[in-house]
Amino acid sequence: MARLKVGVPISGRGSNMAALAEACADSAFPAEIVLVLSNEPGAAGLDRARDFGIETAVIDHRGFAGRAAFDAAVTARLEQAGVELICLAGFMRLFTAGFVEHWRNRLLNIHPSLLPAFRGLNTHERALAAGVRLHGCTVHFVRPELDDGPIVMQAAVPVQPDDTAESLADRVLAQEHRIYPAALRLVAEGAVTVEGERVVYPNGWKNEGRSIDPSLR
Ligand code: GAR
């Protein structure tokens, strides 16, 4: 079985990258990470990737005159590695519309909120301030608008009365690490399609889960 070749751009600690790498360490998993790429030379996730034996690259955005030039360099490096699907994992730079269109429906992101609520930064603080009773995370295909695009998978967590942004972030992150590999599996298997800017599941599929959509297998 040919495994889908995945590239993982990161900017920081890389815990979602590690969750994906752990899933891909199983040779029966339908995807493999061929490159972890960071725009930050000091990103801790680079060491974690090397610990998994994954090739790494640094493309420092500060060395480029503009976003289009940086994005072109990122695409060139990913394509050099044979990447077929990108999984953004805490990559904290916006891509140009040209980059997003080039990778259309081959570009996933994980975001720490139940989209379309709380796009952007500081999602946990904003969820607490808004008083929502459920918060969570979303894996979605990327579109040019910030944190927009067809939703593949979401997980919800309860907000507790004594939560801080940190405690809530920890609870959400644990779910991020569950749903990102699960969503990658579905996409790599070709089990989901994008129709009319919504992700469609196979006929007859039902969510048997409680707080994760779709339920995990
Ligand atoms: C994760 O919580 C991810 O959802 C978030 O950054 C964190 C990265 O952690 N991404 C975004 O906010 C993107 N808008 P990690 O480096 O340990 O995976």
Side-chain angles (χ1 to χ4, degrees), residues 128 131-133 158-165 167-168 171:
L128 288 176
V132 296
R133 312 289 7 145
V159 179
Q160 305 294 0
D162 58 353
D163 262 329
T164 62
S167 64
L168 190 52
R171 200 173 311 118

Side-chain angles (χ1 to χ4, degrees), residues 12-17 89-90 92 109-112 147 173 176:
R13 70 189 158 180
S15 73
N16 277 292
M17 177 280 300
M92 302 311 269
N109 182 43
I110 187 150
H111 181 75
D147 297 325
L173 191 65
E176 294 185 39

Side-chain angles (χ1 to χ4, degrees), residues 2-189:
R3 307 171 77 195
L4 191 73
K5 291 185 168 57
V6 174
V8 185
I10 62 170
S11 298
R13 70 189 158 180
S15 73
N16 277 292
M17 177 280 300
L20 295 175
E22 268 161 36
C24 291
D26 177 354
S27 61
F29 193 79
E32 61 179 325
I33 301 176
V34 295
L35 186 70
V36 168
L37 184 155
S38 176
N39 65 306
E40 292 289 352
L46 288 168
D47 284 336
R48 294 182 87 165
R50 288 183 205 112
D51 289 345
F52 280 98
I54 298 170
E55 188 180 342
T56 61
V58 173
I59 301 183
D60 189 335
H61 58 278
R62 298 168 194 91
F64 293 84
R67 287 204 294 145
F70 171 73
D71 287 4
V74 171
T75 287
R77 187 65 185 86
L78 292 167
E79 290 183 343
Q80 184 195 343
V83 167
E84 299 166 295
L85 177 82
I86 299 173
C87 290
L88 301 177
F91 186 75
M92 302 311 269
R93 295 201 59 85
L94 287 177
F95 283 116
T96 55
F99 181 95
V100 173
E101 287 308 323
H102 179 81
W103 292 97
R104 189 176 179 84
N105 295 344
R106 301 185 297 145
L107 176 55
L108 290 174
N109 182 43
I110 187 150
H111 181 75
S113 78
L114 290 172
L115 291 174
F118 309 122
R119 293 178 163 126
L121 298 175
N122 304 319
T123 57
H124 310 301
E125 287 85 345
R126 289 157 59 211
L128 288 176
V132 296
R133 312 289 7 145
L134 288 171
H135 185 44
C137 47
T138 302
V139 177
H140 65 99
F141 286 104
V142 174
R143 293 293 183 260
E145 292 295 310
L146 177 67
D147 297 325
D148 183 38
I151 292 170
V152 180
M153 196 174 280
Q154 295 184 302
V157 304
V159 179
Q160 305 294 0
D162 58 353
D163 262 329
T164 62
E166 290 70 31
S167 64
L168 190 52
D170 287 348
R171 200 173 311 118
V172 171
L173 191 65
Q175 297 306 319
E176 294 185 39
H177 297 165
R178 296 182 74 200
I179 68 169
Y180 213 177
L184 173 57
R185 173 192 286 279
L186 289 181
V187 171
E189 286 175 342

